[in-house]
Amino acid sequence: RRGAVVTGIDFSSEAIATARELAAELAIPSRFIESNIYAAPDALHEKFDIAYTGYGALCWLPDLERWAEIIAHFLRPGGTLYIVESHPITELIDESVTDRVALTGRYFGTGPIRCESPNTYTDSETPLQERVSYSWAHPLSEIVNSVISAGLRIEWLHESRLGYFRLHPLAEK
């Protein structure tokens, strides 16, 4: 609404359709490209002032170094990468333990995490056709170092007590 034109990339045709509907409803100048982020350089040939990645995106990426290289490829000189993401330690919180914060799993992952579920992580009522998914646990050092190794400079790193949803009964709202 301040003059920016948004370009969004997602591999999901449903996500692209929803983004287009929202942008049209809000009259936001935009375009959305259906592409795997690793194939984005073949689908898009321009540079941007800002690259943004939001909550819950990085865990779906197996190769953060390649992702950061692609981000650097798309940024104009002096451009900004802005990441808003939950802290990787939150992936280890055992949600079934409600009277204290208990951790489970490994912070330094050793490969993909296989998950089998009849529904999406959003608890949708619609059953999934493909019930197996894979995600990757990336420690904070891997996230930061992938950005540095792509030639980008980190100017600041903020952490928040708040998340984008209440992860645990003892978590702050």
Side-chain angles (χ1 to χ4, degrees), residues 14-64:
E14 288 184 37
I16 293 294
T18 300
R20 287 180 177 146
E21 289 172 18
L22 287 170
E25 180 181 321
L26 298 170
I28 296 173
S30 58
R31 67 181 167 153
F32 297 95
I33 298 164
E34 185 178 338
S35 174
N36 179 311
I37 191 65
Y38 299 118
D42 296 328
L44 188 59
H45 306 286
E46 57 196 274
K47 302 286 184 180
F48 300 92
D49 295 319
I50 300 171
Y52 169 85
T53 185
Y55 287 116
L58 297 182
C59 68
W60 301 111
L61 302 175
D63 186 348
L64 284 193

Side-chain angles (χ1 to χ4, degrees), residues 118-156:
N119 304 82
T120 71
Y121 61 88
T122 62
D123 295 325
S124 169
E125 297 290 323
T126 307
L128 292 171
Q129 291 179 4
E130 190 62 47
R131 294 176 177 218
V132 175
S133 66
Y134 294 89
S135 64
W136 286 261
H138 301 292
L140 189 58
S141 59
E142 182 184 357
I143 297 166
V144 169
N145 288 327
S146 69
V147 171
I148 292 169
S149 69
L152 300 175
R153 187 179 84 228
I154 296 175
E155 293 184 5
W156 46 265

Side-chain angles (χ1 to χ4, degrees), residues 58-84:
L58 297 182
C59 68
W60 301 111
L61 302 175
D63 186 348
L64 284 193
E65 283 198 12
R66 179 70 184 127
W67 163 80
E69 290 168 2
I70 290 167
I71 297 300
H73 164 82
F74 282 118
L75 283 174
R76 286 190 176 108
T80 299
L81 166 61
Y82 194 84
I83 302 171
V84 177

